[in-house]
Amino acid sequence: MSAVQPTTTTRARRARTIRERRGFSPLQVLLLGLFAVYSLLPLWWMIVTIFKDNGQLFTTPGLWFASPSHLLDNVRKVFTHQDGIFVRWLLNSVLYSAAIAVGSALTCATAGYAFSKYEFRGRNQLFGLILGTIMVPGTALVLPLFLIMQKLGQAGVPLINTPWAFILPSLVNPFGLYLMRLFWDSAFPTDLIEAARIDGASEATIFWRLGMPLVQGGLVTVALFSFVAGWNNFFLPLMMLNSTSLYPLTLGLSVWNNTTTGTERLYTMIVTGALISILPLIAAFLTLGRYWQGGLATGAVKG
Amino acid sequence: MRHRVTPWLFLSPFLLLFTVFYLTPVGYAVYLSLFIKKRVGFGPAKDVFGGLTNYVRALQDTDFLRSLANIGLFAVVQIPIMLIVAIAVAIVLDSVKGRAQRFFRTVFYLPYTIPTVIAGLLWGYLYSRNLSPLNQFLTATGRDPLDLLSSTVVLWSVANIVTWTWTGYNMITLYAALQNVPHDIYEAARIDGADGWNLVRRVKLPLLRPTILLTVIFSIIGTMQVFSEPFVLRPLGYVPDNITPNTYIYLAASRDVQYAYAAAMAILIALVTFLFSGIFLRYARLGDNT
Amino acid sequence: MRKGLIVSLALFTALSTVTAQSYQEPTLPKISGNTTLEVWSWVPNLDKTVKEFEKLYPNVKVKVTNLGGGPQTYTKLNTALKAGSGAPDVAQVEYGFLPSFIDTGGLVDLTKYGANASKNLFVPWTWGQVSPDGKAVYAVPQDTGPFAMVYRKDIFDKYKLKVPTTWDEYAKTAEQLDKASGGKVKMGNFYTTFAPWFIALAWADGGQFFKRQGDSWVQTLDNPSSKKVLNYWNGLIKKGYVGTLPAFSADYWNAAAAGQVATNFEAAWGPGGYASSMQGKSGGNWRVAPLPQWKAGGSASGNWGGSSMVVTTQSKNPAAAAAFALWLNASKTAVETNFKGAGLFPAARAGLKLPALNDKTSPPIKFFGGQNINAVYAKASEGVNVNFQWAPWYPAVDANFSKQIDAMVKGRLTPDQALAAWQKESLDAARKDGYTVR
């Protein structure tokens, strides 16, 4: 494939009207319908469940509502359990994920730019090394990572039990780097750089003023996917954070879910919390859909 | 020549983080994998240099080898099913536009946004013996309920969660690739009389080829590291320790406190992944030449 | 006559004063200097309980981290102990997992801080758990899980069954119930993935699983009690009298609430979970009875779960940490709050006599028909064999149990074969980890 525009051109759009004039055939509707049911069924169960209490959860059919409704009760409990720590966790998640999204998009953008626009010794080997490390399973790296954090702490950079211990490692995003490199390759022609250099622009100006606006789609894509990865990660925060008040939402919910001792079992309240916790992600994907789909296409077509 | 330092300045933030939080832990894991525990009497064990002992142990550990076989079988079955569905749905979505299309696209994408911890909670319920809607249906129609969490089928219950989460993600990637195809290619094909299934087979699938290769590679890497899905099902029944290599490694490290042995197995897994990806790419490239 | 009355009245008053004041408080040391203690525990509401400690010691701050129960807490603790920093001052560890943490060398021997003086404050068998070699003391007992039988009174009444007191009667009752209900109601439920549940049943029969001998270990997972208990249960499972739903699962609560399970064997912390999980469904119909016996007239029991509080060697103020651990598990304030707020069944002897244990308005007691269930459990606690020991590689033993029992339930192994495999594979794992064990 030759270079592809990250955003859809008008010509391509017109072409689509040609190939899209037919509606769905019955077979297609069947395929889409079945797949939609498959995708939605577990979510439907969640929606039904937040209307129930534990007793109803275990004694009424799972895919339909039971009366009386316990929705308000569940929502109230989620927000008041343990002095309303859920809100704190929600805010933490937003904060951490936003930091991871922005930081990861920026580091991937600068590094991707270097790989795309400069010749330097060991370029391909380094790129290969970075992509190659994703093949090592992370589960065996917990202790090494913890030891490194601890050494950094002794060297005067205390990280353990601060959000940084979770945020900084999450910024390393080899797939994001790969995607950003492709974006730079396709969206920012080298001639433009040469012309700007002749005009006397500094390398930093070329990158920030000229380049960055052209790779917006890529930035949003990497940011969004890093946001989701940060939001859903519970293993790293589990190892690195000790204070309950620092937890992100996914970790907090998993702790609630693991509480099998005690006099209070929280099944339907946890499902309610889980449903609330995925709403921001769904919202982000819906509003930013235009960008990230274009972004994925770039990565995909060039692959 | 003018820019000997500049690229490294641009690289430095990423490279610094990568070195500290990725490369060093991997290097440390390699170092760690060369040690074995030695105990005399009671009390804490001493770590002594053991060379490749842990690697030899891993290659003789039938539980570990079984986990590799499990994941191999998983990959051979799950990746094609997931990708064939993703390709089919992407092509169907690509052929129509409008509100319905946007709706379906969003719906198919939703599972990807759900954290595995929560997905495990959902599916764990849908798999249960008495309460699963599927089993309630079977019981109501006079058949025996299925035990979807039984140790003999739980690998496939895990595969279903993986498929549920990732099919939509792959579908969007493929769909986006189709959307970016320049229009003249279609027009040319149409003039040649290609339509319907012919258009798909002769034009769309070849165009998707690089994207499909990419999704296969990422699926192979992802499959080799399947962990959270079986892990969240563990409290619900007997899920073997070695259902996947990664659960086995995790349990060796965290439950049995055998970090060195776990590190050795992780390195082996990375090598196997590298090998599989390489074999696949080589095979795919050979296909290019013919 | 009159004199006698006065004397007995006086005696009575004296006695009642003694009962009212008989809670034996621990002797707590002075703590000098300002200290912050970090505590890892999954006890609900602990962050509130520790406020009382801070009142007692205004110079000590206690920071509680709740990671939820289960493996992830241990992973974190193991990693921090191995790394040499990042561990808390005080951490919650279940009895069975205690030796594996002792083995890391990361726990403080509390005899340095006068732990032996507190020995008599706790139920005897728990002291054996925290001091496996009878010399060093590595933890303060927190709560216990003595075993008893929970059962559905309504089902027993409906089918006119007698509550069994021996295992022989239990099996016969199971058969009657199966016939009477047409197989719809199971007599019990075998938790196939919870080794400690099975071990508690064998423990009640005097089963010994691990022993230190000289400077090596002996492991006997296939001891005679194990064999007897597993063969017995396998028989009931095969006949269909007993189900195999996983503990704490949606399926189990569904079956229990729907009246498909007539009895089960639960630890003292179990009833609280029943009440809150089923939230009123089948409430009032449940009762607790002593564990059936192999010999009629006995009162033996085993223990499932329960935890202790350890002090790590990374603590900057182990004396304060030890004092906190003692206060948390022996003082009346803490023991009472932990029972009410978290359902912790006390390891402290004095705690077993607290009036709060029979609070008729508490959800578990209401769920169990107003019965004084904790009196049954307190009695069971006395019947727990004192000499039971665990081993440092118990986590691997625990996991391997589920594998062998799965094979047994599927009919691939006989009970004896399953136990032999459990013994052999656990032994191999221990040896590969460097232990000298027979």
Side-chain angles (χ1 to χ4, degrees):
Chain A
M1 296 300 308
S2 56
V4 170
Q5 297 296 319
T7 48
T8 322
T9 63
T10 358
R11 289 199 318 159
R13 220 173 280 139
R14 204 182 49 213
R16 223 175 296 137
T17 54
I18 301 171
R19 66 178 198 258
E20 285 163 356
R21 51 186 176 203
R22 290 181 303 144
F24 293 112
S25 72
L27 197 69
Q28 290 174 335
V29 171
L30 187 72
L31 175 73
L32 295 180
L34 279 178
F35 195 49
V37 169
Y38 176 61
S39 299
L40 287 178
L41 195 73
L43 298 170
W44 173 249
W45 176 80
M46 258 180 134
I47 292 171
V48 166
T49 300
I50 66 170
F51 285 87
K52 298 179 177 177
D53 68 359
N54 287 350
Q56 290 168 330
L57 173 66
F58 297 132
T59 49
T60 62
L63 295 181
W64 200 245
F65 301 93
S67 85
S69 158
H70 290 270
L71 175 66
L72 292 178
D73 199 35
N74 282 326
V75 173
R76 189 185 49 77
K77 257 200 268 170
V78 167
F79 285 104
T80 53
H81 189 63
Q82 293 178 359
D83 304 323
I85 200 157
F86 185 82
V87 180
R88 181 70 197 251
W89 291 344
L90 190 67
L91 289 177
N92 287 345
S93 269
V94 171
L95 216 64
Y96 302 163
S97 307
I100 289 167
V102 173
S104 154
L106 286 179
T107 51
C108 289
T110 49
Y113 186 74
F115 279 115
S116 171
K117 301 303 174 199
Y118 294 94
E119 291 283 346
F120 54 91
R121 208 187 310 167
R123 183 172 77 157
N124 292 335
Q125 288 83 344
L126 185 60
F127 196 68
L129 175 71
I130 293 172
L131 286 185
T133 47
I134 59 176
M135 294 181 187
V136 183
T139 44
L141 300 181
V142 174
L143 178 76
L145 195 59
F146 192 85
L147 287 171
I148 284 156
M149 297 277 180
Q150 179 212 340
K151 290 268 159 21
L152 285 170
Q154 286 163 355
V157 192
L159 290 174
I160 289 173
N161 201 26
T162 72
W164 298 112
F166 159 47
I167 292 172
L168 291 177
S170 304
L171 296 183
V172 186
N173 183 347
F175 181 66
L177 172 71
Y178 165 81
L179 210 62
M180 281 315 297
R181 183 185 180 174
L182 294 182
F183 258 90
W184 287 115
D185 282 349
S186 63
F188 192 31
T190 316
D191 320 351
L192 221 60
I193 302 180
E194 290 304 330
R197 277 179 188 152
I198 291 164
D199 288 348
S202 75
E203 296 299 302
T205 315
I206 295 173
F207 171 77
W208 274 109
R209 294 275 166 76
L210 289 176
M212 286 296 259
L214 293 176
V215 292
Q216 263 179 20
L219 292 172
V220 173
T221 310
V222 173
L224 197 58
F225 282 84
S226 307
F227 190 91
V228 175
W231 193 276
N232 292 354
N233 193 343
F234 96 107
F235 199 65
L236 201 55
L238 165 71
M239 294 314 296
M240 299 302 169
L241 303 177
N242 298 336
S243 308
T244 319
S245 58
L246 288 177
Y247 286 1
L249 198 48
T250 314
L251 177 57
L253 284 173
S254 114
V255 166
W256 277 357
N257 195 29
N258 279 338
T259 307
T260 44
T261 53
T263 45
E264 207 169 13
R265 302 281 167 91
L266 313 159
Y267 302 106
T268 58
M269 185 196 91
I270 289 166
V271 176
T272 312
L275 190 62
I276 295 172
S277 81
I278 58 179
L279 294 180
L281 294 182
I282 294 175
F285 271 97
L286 287 183
T287 47
L288 298 172
R290 201 160 49 88
Y291 289 99
W292 58 265
Q293 292 189 13
L296 277 181
T298 300
V301 175
K302 285 286 287 196
Chain B
M1 281 304 106
R2 285 185 302 156
H3 303 289
R4 198 168 288 175
V5 185
T6 334
W8 295 101
L9 286 179
F10 277 113
L11 278 173
S12 56
F14 187 97
L15 226 47
L16 180 73
L17 293 168
F18 175 74
T19 310
V20 175
F21 297 116
Y22 234 99
L23 212 50
T24 320
V26 171
Y28 190 82
V30 174
Y31 170 79
L32 203 63
S33 71
L34 301 176
F35 287 83
I36 51 169
K37 283 187 194 172
K38 200 155 179 81
R39 290 172 201 276
V40 181
F42 297 119
K46 286 200 172 57
D47 290 328
V48 296
F49 186 77
L52 295 177
T53 314
N54 284 319
Y55 292 88
V56 175
R57 179 180 162 192
L59 294 174
Q60 292 170 346
D61 182 342
T62 46
D63 283 338
F64 177 61
L65 297 177
R66 174 66 64 83
S67 79
L68 282 172
N70 282 346
I71 210 66
L73 184 65
F74 182 103
V76 169
V77 175
Q78 190 267 340
I79 296 178
I81 290 178
M82 171 177 72
L83 292 183
I84 287 169
V85 173
I87 293 167
V89 173
I91 287 175
V92 169
L93 281 183
D94 181 58
S95 67
V96 177
K97 77 172 187 179
R99 198 171 290 169
Q101 193 254 30
R102 264 202 306 281
F103 165 78
F104 280 122
R105 221 168 56 203
T106 313
V107 163
F108 298 158
Y109 202 74
L110 278 180
Y112 171 74
T113 62
I114 304 208
T116 316
V117 179
I118 294 172
L121 198 80
L122 302 179
W123 282 106
Y125 183 90
L126 295 174
Y127 288 157
S128 62
R129 249 185 284 183
N130 300 339
L131 287 165
S132 162
L134 173 71
N135 281 335
Q136 285 179 342
F137 171 78
L138 288 176
T139 323
T141 51
R143 273 165 283 195
D144 282 337
L146 301 170
D147 186 0
L148 297 166
L149 292 165
S150 155
S151 57
T152 39
V153 297
V154 71
L155 185 68
W156 306 113
S157 300
V158 167
N160 174 55
I161 302 181
V162 174
T163 309
W164 181 74
T165 313
W166 291 96
T167 308
Y169 175 88
N170 285 307
M171 183 274 294
I172 290 282
T173 312
L174 294 157
Y175 165 81
L178 280 173
Q179 291 277 295
N180 271 12
V181 167
H183 78 298
D184 23 333
I185 295 179
Y186 286 104
E187 264 170 24
R190 216 171 278 279
I191 290 163
D192 288 349
D195 205 3
W197 173 239
N198 266 329
L199 187 73
V200 169
R201 202 167 54 96
R202 288 218 228 118
V203 184
K204 292 193 178 183
L205 283 180
L207 282 174
L208 277 180
R209 194 184 152 83
T211 316
I212 295 174
L213 288 188
L214 189 82
T215 50
V216 171
I217 291 292
F218 277 109
S219 300
I220 290 177
I221 296 173
T223 302
M224 290 307 290
Q225 300 190 14
V226 166
F227 168 70
S228 312
E229 291 84 358
F231 197 71
V232 292
L233 293 181
R234 281 176 68 86
L236 302 176
Y238 170 60
V239 177
D241 286 1
N242 62 343
I243 180 168
T244 72
N246 219 357
T247 52
Y248 193 65
I249 292 170
Y250 173 81
L251 291 168
S254 66
R255 185 191 62 208
D256 304 338
V257 209
Q258 301 187 23
Y259 297 107
Y261 185 46
M265 289 190 287
I267 308 291
L268 288 175
I269 289 300
L271 292 177
V272 171
T273 313
F274 190 72
L275 202 72
F276 279 175
S277 310
I279 289 171
F280 173 76
L281 274 184
R282 175 134 201 186
Y283 177 77
R285 289 233 178 85
L286 280 179
D288 271 347
N289 295 338
T290 49
Chain C
M1 170 82 194
R2 195 161 173 161
K3 206 174 171 186
L5 184 71
I6 292 168
V7 168
S8 39
L9 254 177
L11 205 66
F12 179 77
T13 326
L15 270 176
S16 50
T17 338
V18 167
T19 342
Q21 293 177 343
S22 74
Y23 192 98
Q24 199 187 349
E25 290 284 350
T27 327
L28 293 169
K30 284 210 170 62
I31 300 172
S32 53
N34 289 331
T35 303
T36 302
L37 294 176
E38 203 182 324
V39 178
W40 289 0
S41 160
W42 58 86
V43 173
N45 302 317
L46 192 66
D47 47 337
K48 298 210 180 61
T49 314
V50 301
K51 295 275 188 293
E52 296 297 322
F53 185 75
E54 290 173 337
K55 268 187 218 156
L56 217 58
Y57 294 95
N59 54 335
V60 180
K61 281 254 157 313
V62 184
K63 238 185 82 202
V64 177
T65 293
N66 184 342
L67 295 159
Q72 58 195 35
T73 313
Y74 293 146
T75 303
K76 207 172 150 84
L77 189 58
N78 263 323
T79 311
L81 289 177
K82 172 91 184 168
S85 83
D89 297 275
V90 180
Q92 181 178 2
V93 174
E94 288 155 282
Y95 298 114
F97 291 78
L98 193 55
S100 69
F101 284 100
I102 294 172
D103 199 60
T104 63
L107 304 188
V108 171
D109 175 4
L110 297 174
T111 52
K112 276 178 240 162
Y113 305 100
N116 276 326
S118 312
K119 182 176 174 177
N120 291 325
L121 295 178
F122 296 96
V123 177
W125 69 266
T126 62
W127 205 257
Q129 299 280 300
V130 297
S131 181
D133 60 358
K135 282 177 262 165
V137 175
Y138 290 103
V140 179
Q142 176 159 297
D143 68 315
T144 63
F147 237 30
M149 181 172 83
V150 300
Y151 68 97
R152 284 279 294 256
K153 185 172 183 299
D154 55 335
I155 294 176
F156 273 73
D157 288 350
K158 183 178 170 192
Y159 297 107
K160 302 191 175 58
L161 303 171
K162 225 177 102 259
V163 177
T165 59
T166 64
W167 289 112
D168 204 35
E169 286 174 21
Y170 185 85
K172 281 187 189 122
T173 315
E175 191 179 349
Q176 290 167 11
L177 177 62
D178 186 67
K179 286 213 179 88
S181 72
K184 283 214 174 67
V185 182
K186 303 264 187 223
M187 180 66 176
N189 189 75
F190 190 92
Y191 290 152
T192 53
T193 55
F194 279 78
W197 185 86
F198 166 76
I199 290 175
L201 287 172
W203 185 341
D205 187 47
Q208 293 284 343
F209 288 70
F210 308 98
K211 218 187 192 106
R212 284 159 177 258
Q213 208 159 71
D215 55 0
S216 66
W217 290 90
V218 183
Q219 176 191 279
T220 44
L221 305 181
D222 50 353
N223 60 71
S225 297
S226 270
K227 284 187 182 162
K228 179 161 85 183
V229 170
L230 195 60
N231 276 296
Y232 174 85
W233 280 93
N234 188 53
L236 293 179
I237 295 170
K238 275 231 177 99
K239 286 181 188 138
Y241 299 165
V242 160
T244 53
L245 298 170
F248 313 119
S249 68
D251 273 335
Y252 179 72
W253 298 128
N254 166 263
Q260 292 161 5
V261 184
T263 77
N264 205 342
F265 300 92
E266 300 286 359
W269 43 266
Y274 271 58
S276 63
S277 294
M278 293 186 259
Q279 233 160 27
K281 294 278 180 329
S282 73
N285 293 327
W286 292 85
R287 295 291 183 279
V288 178
L291 193 69
Q293 301 291 313
W294 291 104
K295 284 190 207 92
S299 62
S301 181
N303 180 76
W304 177 21
S307 316
S308 63
M309 279 290 188
V310 303
V311 174
T312 74
T313 48
Q314 293 177 23
S315 173
K316 293 207 176 63
N317 195 341
F324 171 77
L326 183 60
W327 173 84
L328 181 67
N329 301 314
S331 81
K332 186 179 174 193
T333 322
V335 168
E336 196 168 46
T337 322
N338 279 337
F339 174 77
K340 283 199 221 156
L344 295 191
F345 194 75
R349 276 177 162 167
L352 293 174
K353 299 195 183 82
L354 282 174
L357 264 62
N358 192 22
D359 175 2
K360 300 282 183 210
T361 60
S362 71
I365 292 192
K366 277 200 271 184
F367 195 81
F368 281 78
Q371 184 194 356
N372 186 355
I373 51 176
N374 290 314
V376 183
Y377 278 113
K379 185 104 199 313
S381 192
E382 288 165 22
V384 176
N385 187 346
V386 180
N387 295 318
F388 192 89
Q389 282 194 14
W390 305 88
W393 62 93
Y394 175 71
V397 175
D398 188 279
N400 191 267
F401 173 80
S402 310
K403 177 179 172 184
Q404 310 306 346
I405 298 304
D406 184 65
M408 180 192 86
V409 171
K410 290 200 163 63
R412 290 200 301 267
L413 295 178
T414 66
D416 285 352
Q417 284 168 339
L419 288 171
W422 189 28
Q423 164 76 4
K424 184 185 174 299
E425 289 179 23
S426 303
L427 209 57
D428 286 350
R431 282 180 183 148
K432 273 190 190 136
D433 204 14
Y435 291 101
T436 317
V437 52
R438 289 185 285 117

